[in-house]
Amino acid sequence: MPRVFSGIQPTGNLHLGNYLGAIRNWVLMQQGNECLYCIVDLHAITVRQEPQALSASTREVTACLIAAGIDTRASILFNQSQVAGHAELAWIFNCVARLGWLNRMTQFKEKAGKDRENASVGLYAYPNLMAADILVYRATHVPVGEDQKQHLELARDIAQSFNHQYGVEFFPLVEPVITGPATRVMSLRDGTAKMSKSDASDYSRINMTDSPDAIAQKIRKARTDPHPLPGDPAALAERPEAANLVNIYAALSNSDAAAVLSAFDGAPFSRFKEKLAELATQVIAPMTGEMRRLLADQGYIDAVLRDGAGRARSLAEPILREVHRIVGFVQG
Ligand code: AQP
């Protein structure tokens, strides 16, 4: 069975982009694959996190994933810091990856911004840890949103370089799985920026914990243009905000932009937004309810993570032993 790995940061404000771009595909990929889903808390601390908020967010993401349909018996759900092998392999990859490769990573440039000298070393080396997350299990398929494509290309370069340097065929070349009409959900305030947890404006995103009223209000206030909806997706090329809302509708209704536009050809945004808010609430509200129920039992959430981490460790240990042998570390 193909082995799938993917991760999500417990950095608060889990949003519709995370759900449509990643989580929903994680649920679907449970059919016919061996899946590991990881809450990447080591990645989260590459920027400053309040300890209590980090713990709360880790449990909240866990609850959201279970509520979305991750089956914790079939799949392995755990938080990264409980499996030390991720950090260990990341160190080895720090010694494989070249500075020049990391210098090209656009996410570092975006996140470090102008204050590059003050960014943490961890933020810079983030893609090496991400490569280790996947390869410590020799996973081959990684469902992600568009924004992670460059990091996965780096994971392939690292695997190839390790194999070449040590003359082995040990690490597989990972395949990104980027599917669906919403691989890059954009901000509700700016159709050219991606919907993001760290956007200062809460109106830029629909959070997985938003109430139906909040969802409706955010969609009503979402930026659009003065024209009615066209009948053909090609006419959305220069209308990023309209295209974003249509793609969100398509993803939430399991259809595509062409089908959505044929149903709303000529409709004003007021009508379309009303329908979109109903649809978004229909999909999100049951998950939010289930998340709340799960979060009331912290012991259960922690037990799920402990069990997942134990199973993840048993998969990683023999692979790490082999890595030690390949690299030449003496194993007493
Ligand atoms: N807007 C998005 N559209 C589609 N997919 C998205 N993902 C994130 N944003 C969108 C996908 O969600 C998964 C988990 O992402 P993450 O939490 O690990 O990291 P991120 O990409 O840094 O998320 P954010 O929301 O953009 O956080 P900040 O604001 O901290 O940068 C990934 O598969 C990602 O592709």
Side-chain angles (χ1 to χ4, degrees), residues 7-9 15 17-18 21-22 111 144-145 147-148 182-185 194-198:
I8 188 160
Q9 296 192 72
H15 55 71
N18 298 129
K111 291 204 169 174
V144 283
D147 58 318
Q148 294 300 322
T183 54
R184 190 168 169 83
V185 176
K194 88 167 180 151
M195 186 177 284
S196 155
K197 297 194 199 91
S198 55

Side-chain angles (χ1 to χ4, degrees), residues 157-204:
D157 289 343
I158 289 175
Q160 220 158 12
S161 184
F162 179 96
N163 289 346
H164 180 74
Q165 185 176 332
Y166 293 102
V168 290
E169 281 302 321
F170 187 69
F171 286 122
L173 298 187
V174 298
E175 287 291 340
V177 182
I178 302 174
T179 52
T183 54
R184 190 168 169 83
V185 176
M186 308 310 275
S187 155
L188 299 182
R189 309 302 294 165
D190 173 0
T192 62
K194 88 167 180 151
M195 186 177 284
S196 155
K197 297 194 199 91
S198 55
D199 194 315
S201 165
D202 198 49
Y203 276 89
S204 68

Side-chain angles (χ1 to χ4, degrees), residues 116-137:
R116 201 183 141 100
E117 295 292 305
N118 241 331
S120 73
V121 174
L123 186 66
Y124 186 72
Y126 183 114
N128 295 346
L129 177 58
M130 182 164 156
D133 295 336
I134 303 160
L135 293 171
V136 78
Y137 305 104

Side-chain angles (χ1 to χ4, degrees), residues 226-262:
H227 309 292
L229 283 162
D232 174 10
L236 291 176
E238 306 293 322
R239 300 173 64 184
E241 282 87 12
N244 187 36
L245 295 186
V246 169
N247 287 337
I248 292 176
Y249 194 105
L252 288 171
S253 57
N254 295 312
S255 85
D256 56 33
V260 174
L261 289 180
S262 80

Side-chain angles (χ1 to χ4, degrees), residues 39-55:
I39 295 133
V40 290
D41 46 11
L42 297 178
H43 282 282
I45 62 160
T46 55
V47 296
R48 206 183 165 89
Q49 302 293 335
E50 284 303 323
Q52 277 183 356
L54 181 66
S55 310

